[in-house]
Structure formats: structure tokens, C-alpha cells
Amino acid sequence: MSKDGDMIRRRPGFRLLLTALLTGVAPLLAALLLAAPGARAASLTEVTGFGANPSNLRMYVYRPDSAPARPAVLVAVHYCTGSGPAFHSGTEFASLADRYGFLVVYPSVTRDGGCFDVSSPQALRRGGGSDPVGIMSMVTYAQQHYGADPARVFVTGASSGAMMTNVLLGDYPDVFKAGAAFMGVPFGCFATTDGSSWNSACANGTVTRTPQQWGDLVRAAHPGYSGPRPRMQLWHGTEDTILRHPNLGEEIKQWTDVLGVSQAPAFTDHPQSTWTRTRYGGTGTQAPVEAVSIQGTGHTLPTAGMAARAIAFFGLDTTTTPPPTDPPPPAPAGACRVTYTTSAWNTGLTASITLTNTGTAPVDGWTLGFTLPAGQTITSGWNAAFSPTSGAVTARNVAYNATLGPGASTTLGFQATHTGNTGTPSSFTLNGTACQRG
């Protein structure tokens, strides 16, 4: 990781990014902090031992005093050179959490340069490793330890965090309901294969693809997924010299294709004189895709009031806790559902397993049983203890995900070798009871 950080810092684009952030974003965030009225009784808390964390991220949580028993959760992802605490203190998301009662999770990078991994092959596939896996562990921890509502999980970020917002919506469309990306680039635009974390062509806005090509990159992150996709809100300044404005148009092409809506705006307005807002696939506040172009603005978003617009897009701008979503239909084979996906290469594969309690009572301690196809051998796992490594396998909970409330889910997974058979287990059992396949 330090080698990647050194490579990034030597690149001219990264030096420009550091300069812009230190001279543009940091003073702006400090001004927002000074302007925030009142002191908060709640405080930012660091959480350790939150689960699988291959890239050594740190986790910070802000749980406002107004949080209900089952709060929504917002993952707020910082910019390069930043940190979770800096993003907490320098943006308006915590004060909005005080007002509306949602939980905020702030991931924090520890690698040199402070940028999130949005470029490696591992980061760009579900369960592949790197930062997205660590952030998913944070979401699972929030659900298990703070009672966060799995039906109301959202993500936002600025710059590097905006890129990660795109990545998380692509990798985990079944987890996140919507995202808001301030000064980002499309999913996969920053992809590299040489160990570098900086892609100058993408940063300069010279990477262009068709909507379907962009959409295919997202769909390839979670092969076989056919469920609903998260909505996306996009923000960009026309004078951004770090991640240039053409990336906004490419993001629009990508997410309109992913969500299956027209690229022609269904609605256009100007909430402020320098703002041009377009909505795609709908005209309301929660349209499938919303884009806001800010005339004359550089790499300095979000500015005052923009976070509130993101919270409205998410539907979190209310103090009324929505009723629980309708439970899934009873599983004919038992009170559990399993979704199992794999990503294979040469002689290896990774598997991601989402286990959902579809019953009406909590599960306190669980074992998930399944039989691996012949020739597959587990070499490492996360969010569960796997034994044995081949044949009839039992995955046992770890301390932080032992309890699954009604309707709650947990995601676990493993890496394995194979001898040619990359198939999936034919059935699963939870504590000895057969599960429905998702």
C-alpha cells in the first residue's frame, strides 16, 4: 500500500489534487464547521474490530441522540488527504443527522496519500477485496450493533469519496438504496492494472464510452444480479481542474443505462443562478438519476446547503421513522434466504454469500451449511469461520454478526482455488434448516 501511495504522490495529477484540496476544500470545510450552529451532545466514536478489513481502514460512527431504534445509515466517504474525522467535522452531514436521526459511518483511509482504492481489480468486483470489503463490514457492523435498518443504507462522498460512491453502488446494488457523488467519475473509469491508483486520462475527462459500455462495467461487478439498482445523484463544478467536468456527462450516461431510463432529461431547472439541475427517468425529488452542474465552480464541493439536497434525494429529510418494509414472502424451505455469487479466474475464485433471516424471531448464533463442488478448496474467508475447507462446509458466525433480527442480513465470503469446476453449492442450511435461494 505504501508503494502505491508513493506512485500516486509522484504523479502530477496527484500533486494538483493535494494542492486543490488543501487550498480549496479544506478552508471551505473549516468555514462550514465554524458556521454550524450549536454544539452536539453526541460525539464521533471510533470502532475497531468491525470485521473483514483487507486494506486496514478505520471506522468512525456518529450516532445522534435523536436516532430511533432502527435508524437509516449514511456512509460518508472522505476526499484524498482527508480522514473520517475531518469529513465529519467539516461537512454538514452530522448536523443533518442530528436533525433527522440517521446514523453516519465515516470510513477513513490509512494508506499513504489518503485516497480510496477505486482502481484495482479487487475493488471493482463484489467481494473482491480492498476498501469496498472493509466498508461493507462497517455497514454490517452498524446493522448488528446499532440496529441500522438494512432497507435504508445510503452512501455519499467527495472527490475520492465520490469515486468510491460510484464503486459501492456497482459492487453492492442490493445493499445501497441510493448514492450522492460530489466531483466523482464513473464506475470503472479509474481502473488500472499496473498497481497505480491514479488514472490521468480519466481525471482529465478524456475517457468516453457509450452508455451500454459504462453500464456493462457496473453490471460486471456483480454478475448475475437482476434486482433493483440504487438511484444516483451527481454533482460537479464546470471549472474543476482535478477531476474535470466531462466526467459528469459520462456518469450520467452510465447510471441512466444501469437504471434503464432515457438519457434525455425529464426535468431541468436552476435551483440557484449558477446551478443547472437535470433529472432522468422522473421529475420528482427522488428521480432515478439527478445531476447538478455548478457553473464557475472548481474542485470545492460540497458547499453549504448541498448536503441537505443529498439528504432530500435519499428521502432522509424527515423525523418520522417509516414503517418496516413488508417482509419477504415466507421461504417454503425455511426461515432464511441465501444469495450466492462467485467471480472466477484461472484456478481461483471468490464467493460472496448474503444470508437473510426471513423469520419473525431473531437468530442468536448461526451456522450456515453447504457443500462445495468437487475441486474447490477455501484458502481464506471473511465475516465467518469456515470449516473444513472443502466438501461439506460449515460457516459459523463471528462475534460482531452473531445476531440476525427478523429481516436482517449479513454478508460473508471466501476465496478458494478450483480445478475447473466453478459451480455453486446446490443448497444451504441455517442451523440445520433448509434455506431458500435468493
Side-chain angles (χ1 to χ4, degrees):
M1 285 184 285
S2 61
K3 178 181 178 183
D4 289 345
D6 290 339
M7 293 181 70
I8 301 168
R9 288 196 304 273
R10 287 197 297 268
R11 292 178 178 267
F14 186 74
R15 291 195 294 271
L16 285 172
L17 178 59
L18 289 175
T19 301
L21 287 169
L22 293 174
T23 61
V25 174
L28 170 67
L29 297 182
L32 289 175
L33 174 61
L34 292 173
R40 304 184 188 109
S43 60
L44 190 67
T45 302
E46 182 170 8
V47 174
T48 59
F50 51 84
N53 185 21
S55 53
N56 197 32
L57 299 178
R58 297 174 74 172
M59 175 184 180
Y60 296 88
V61 176
Y62 183 71
R63 185 183 187 279
D65 295 336
S66 58
R70 195 172 175 80
V73 59
L74 173 64
V75 178
V77 194
H78 67 74
Y79 44 86
C80 282
T81 76
S83 69
F87 207 54
H88 163 75
S89 63
T91 60
E92 298 172 309
F93 295 110
S95 62
L96 290 163
D98 288 332
R99 185 181 309 170
Y100 299 120
F102 55 86
L103 188 80
V104 191
V105 172
Y106 297 93
S108 194
V109 168
T110 59
R111 67 170 61 86
D112 289 349
C115 298
F116 285 90
D117 176 13
V118 296
S119 59
S120 75
Q122 291 77 21
L124 296 175
R125 68 173 185 270
R126 181 187 181 92
S130 196
D131 294 346
V133 167
I135 293 173
M136 270 307 306
S137 294
M138 298 179 197
V139 171
T140 300
Y141 185 97
Q143 293 168 357
Q144 298 298 334
H145 291 264
Y146 296 93
D149 186 352
R152 295 188 299 149
V153 180
F154 305 90
V155 59
T156 188
S159 193
S160 179
M163 298 188 218
M164 180 54 72
T165 297
N166 279 266
V167 167
L168 289 171
L169 295 195
D171 286 356
Y172 298 99
D174 53 332
V175 174
F176 294 94
K177 302 306 175 185
F182 294 89
M183 312 174 301
V185 303
F187 177 101
C189 184
F190 244 61
T192 58
T193 57
D194 61 358
S196 168
S197 296
W198 185 260
N199 185 318
S200 294
C202 178
N204 290 330
T206 62
V207 176
T208 59
R209 293 187 171 94
T210 67
Q212 182 171 341
Q213 288 172 332
W214 281 125
D216 286 345
L217 289 177
V218 172
R219 288 181 284 270
H222 188 0
Y225 178 74
S226 59
R229 294 279 179 173
R231 297 177 298 109
M232 176 62 104
Q233 183 186 65
L234 305 162
W235 297 77
H236 224 111
T238 60
E239 303 308 308
D240 193 327
T241 58
I242 305 303
L243 300 172
R244 292 186 180 272
H245 186 261
N247 281 300
L248 176 63
E250 298 303 302
E251 286 177 297
I252 292 170
K253 289 195 294 186
Q254 182 170 68
W255 292 105
T256 52
D257 181 81
V258 168
L259 288 158
V261 300
S262 172
Q263 291 180 65
F267 173 90
T268 302
D269 72 345
H270 302 277
Q272 296 186 21
S273 61
T274 58
W275 296 17
T276 299
R277 178 171 62 186
T278 48
R279 290 172 176 161
Y280 305 82
T283 61
T285 305
Q286 297 177 32
V289 178
E290 179 175 281
V292 187
S293 177
I294 314 297
Q295 183 66 39
T297 297
H299 200 72
T300 58
L301 308 183
T303 57
M306 292 181 179
R309 302 269 184 171
I311 295 307
F313 179 76
F314 296 152
L316 294 179
D317 55 338
T318 175
T319 56
T320 301
T321 303
T325 55
D326 293 335
C336 50
R337 182 174 66 250
V338 170
T339 301
Y340 187 102
T341 58
T342 59
S343 177
W345 66 92
N346 295 332
T347 60
L349 61 84
T350 58
S352 178
I353 308 167
T354 300
L355 169 64
T356 302
N357 174 13
T358 60
T360 58
V363 174
D364 188 10
W366 52 264
T367 59
L368 182 68
F370 55 92
T371 300
L372 285 176
Q376 293 185 16
T377 302
I378 296 173
T379 56
S380 63
W382 50 90
N383 293 348
F386 295 88
S387 179
T389 58
S390 60
V393 175
T394 297
R396 292 179 173 81
N397 67 265
V398 289
Y400 54 83
N401 64 3
T403 301
L404 290 177
S409 300
T410 188
T411 300
L412 53 144
F414 60 83
Q415 185 165 318
T417 58
H418 66 82
T419 57
N421 185 351
T422 60
T424 65
S426 59
S427 62
F428 297 85
T429 61
L430 174 64
N431 295 344
T433 300
C435 291
Q436 183 186 35
R437 288 295 294 268

